[in-house]
Amino acid sequence: MVQQITAAAAGTINLGGDLTVNRLGYGAMRITGKGIWGPPEDHDGAIATLRHAVELGVNFIDTADSYGPYVSEELIAEALAPYPAGLVIATKGGWERPGPGQWTHNASPGHLRKALEGSLKRLRLDRIDVYQLHTPDPAVSFEASMETLAELREQGKIRHIALSNVAREHIERARKIVPIVSVQNRYSFADREWDYVVNYCAENGIAFIPWAPLRGSESAAEVLESVAEKLNATPLQVALAWLLKRSPVMLPIPGTSSRKHLEENVAAAALELPQAEFERLSAMTPAPTSLR
């Protein structure tokens, strides 16, 4: 039974030794328009949702310059700047949006420098707390991308560097250049292709940020619904509770543009998932799914 609505109920996680956030964050991709393109249909609703997330104890918000593009970052600043103490805004660069539902790689040094400057301006910040390489660029040296971010960190424009959509190899290569505080990959109770990355992060004190927490097969969804009914919770709440129980380095960031769904998501922080149900969900092993 979900008893309270506060992200603090999930406990905390440390990022880089100097940032501590509640272990249930908010993903700000869905506050943009359809196809993650353009402004939201309900601008005021998006602003209200962002503000309510903070009211519910969320102090880690994840976004990217490509969400909109630019729209998500602009809305975050409009809703929350000047930011309350302890609120961490994590953004990304290295993936561009040429149109609705489209993604193109660009993690070249020149683009990353330009992308960071744009994010700083839109977010109204002098330094990004957590800046993530959105995805490795197959046409650009991974080391060149990471060395560029390391230089920007040395210049004081980035506090901590993170990765997204990577394999263990990328994390190890990146750590030879600069400390990595978090990794964001697709992951859920029914989609554990990146289990070995979760384990690597846990072994090395790196936060793991899962996206697509409900990704999985229809058979997995049936089990999820069965557990949810037993616990008087929603399927997404159970999926989030499984993630939180899976590893102490897990930092889920469920996203929504709805105030109601936001409250449901944050309420999962207090949901106690019995060990038997955790193991039942953990036994689900559907076939791997594609990245996009």
Side-chain angles (χ1 to χ4, degrees):
M1 176 73 71
V2 174
Q3 298 178 339
Q4 61 184 124
I5 302 179
T6 172
T12 61
I13 189 168
N14 184 267
L15 304 172
D18 60 351
L19 295 176
T20 298
V21 297
N22 292 328
R23 211 159 59 92
L24 190 70
Y26 175 79
M29 183 174 74
R30 296 295 176 187
I31 59 174
T32 62
K34 186 177 181 180
I36 322 303
W37 183 261
E41 292 183 4
D42 183 359
H43 171 272
D44 292 346
I47 296 296
T49 298
L50 284 164
R51 290 173 176 166
H52 193 44
V54 174
E55 291 171 352
L56 295 177
V58 170
N59 55 8
F60 182 86
I61 296 178
D62 176 82
T63 185
D65 65 348
S66 56
Y67 297 165
Y70 314 139
V71 174
S72 178
E73 292 181 331
E74 291 169 347
L75 288 171
I76 288 170
E78 180 182 347
L80 301 171
Y83 302 105
L87 178 62
V88 173
I89 307 296
T91 192
K92 313 179 195 73
W95 231 357
E96 295 184 290
R97 300 283 288 171
Q102 300 177 45
W103 302 91
T104 56
H105 291 279
N106 192 349
S108 65
H111 174 74
L112 288 175
R113 292 188 184 96
K114 181 179 179 181
L116 175 65
E117 294 296 340
S119 291
L120 286 168
K121 182 177 181 179
R122 286 184 294 274
L123 289 168
R124 306 178 198 173
L125 291 168
D126 296 322
R127 177 176 63 179
I128 303 293
D129 277 336
V130 178
Y131 193 81
Q132 306 160 85
L133 179 68
H134 206 151
T135 188
D137 186 338
V140 175
S141 160
F142 180 71
E143 278 70 20
S145 297
M146 296 311 303
E147 287 167 0
T148 299
L149 296 183
E151 290 172 6
L152 292 167
R153 179 174 175 265
E154 287 297 316
Q155 294 170 13
K157 297 179 179 180
I158 297 172
R159 182 189 295 251
H160 296 300
I161 293 174
L163 299 171
S164 179
N165 300 311
V166 291
R168 172 172 172 167
E169 174 198 2
H170 295 108
I171 308 170
E172 293 177 335
R173 289 163 63 185
R175 293 179 72 202
K176 293 178 181 178
I177 298 170
V178 68
I180 299 299
V181 301
S182 67
V183 171
Q184 182 173 161
N185 279 11
R186 188 195 71 247
Y187 189 79
S188 74
F189 79 97
D191 177 15
R192 297 192 299 281
E193 180 179 352
W194 299 110
D195 247 341
Y196 74 102
V197 172
V198 175
N199 294 337
Y200 177 85
C201 288
E203 292 165 2
N204 290 278
I206 299 170
F208 184 89
I209 304 172
W211 59 267
L214 275 181
R215 185 71 65 93
S217 70
E218 290 183 5
S219 60
E222 291 173 3
V223 173
L224 188 65
E225 291 169 1
S226 173
V227 175
E229 185 175 355
K230 285 184 178 180
L231 300 179
N232 192 27
T234 68
L236 181 54
Q237 286 174 334
V238 173
L240 292 171
W242 183 90
L243 287 169
L244 291 167
K245 194 178 182 78
R246 165 65 178 83
S247 173
V249 301
M250 199 73 71
L251 175 55
I253 51 165
T256 179
S257 60
S258 161
R259 180 187 178 100
K260 177 183 177 182
H261 290 159
L262 169 67
E263 292 179 348
E264 290 178 357
N265 293 345
V266 176
L271 179 62
E272 294 291 338
L273 185 62
Q275 184 64 25
E277 302 302 342
F278 173 78
E279 293 175 359
R280 183 183 178 193
L281 291 171
S282 300
M284 300 304 303
T285 55
T289 54
S290 62
L291 179 63
R292 303 188 192 96

